[in-house]
Amino acid sequence: MNAKLVINYQEVELTKEDIIAMSYGVNRQTDIQTRQGYYSDTFSLPKTATNLEVFGYPDQLNSTDTKRWEKLTAWIESDGVQVVYGFAQLQSIGETLSVVVK
């Protein structure tokens, strides 16, 4: 399976071990108050120059770029078919970038 993750209209770099697991909520069409969305488990991205650029260099404390706090447009493609469209949020940064897609 050929998976691709695009955040803020840029393809991010994944490792071969990266698995993006999604959780889907079942909704009743007539009950708006119980509506649920889908979201991914938090997953890690390697700390590469491309991935850091996508999130506005969150490892630089003096950066004025606010992308690290924003919901960025994101989608996941599998074998050329878009399976998820939503937004990505940076959860934390350490040895890797922890990200969730909603």
Side-chain angles (χ1 to χ4, degrees):
M1 179 171 14
N2 186 12
K4 180 166 87 167
L5 173 62
V6 178
I7 299 176
N8 205 27
Y9 305 99
Q10 294 180 350
E11 185 175 352
V12 298
E13 295 178 11
L14 301 170
T15 62
K16 294 199 183 278
E17 296 83 32
D18 283 334
I19 296 174
I20 304 172
M22 298 297 295
S23 297
Y24 294 91
V26 178
N27 297 310
R28 287 188 179 162
Q29 297 289 45
T30 57
D31 191 3
I32 293 175
Q33 298 211 342
T34 62
R35 292 282 167 107
Q36 302 174 44
Y38 56 86
Y39 58 92
S40 71
D41 295 336
T42 301
F43 58 94
S44 297
L45 295 175
K47 209 168 158 183
T48 64
T50 301
N51 293 347
L52 290 171
E53 179 185 357
V54 167
F55 289 103
Y57 301 100
D59 59 337
Q60 296 178 7
L61 296 177
N62 294 330
S63 174
T64 58
D65 197 331
T66 60
K67 285 185 201 170
R68 68 185 92 185
W69 296 293
E70 296 174 7
K71 295 178 184 176
L72 302 173
T73 301
W75 62 87
I76 300 170
E77 292 180 9
S78 179
D79 294 324
V81 177
Q82 188 180 73
V83 293
V84 172
Y85 183 85
F87 62 87
Q89 265 185 317
L90 180 64
Q91 299 293 306
S92 65
I93 184 168
E95 296 295 317
T96 60
L97 303 170
S98 295
V99 179
V100 66
V101 174
K102 297 181 180 184

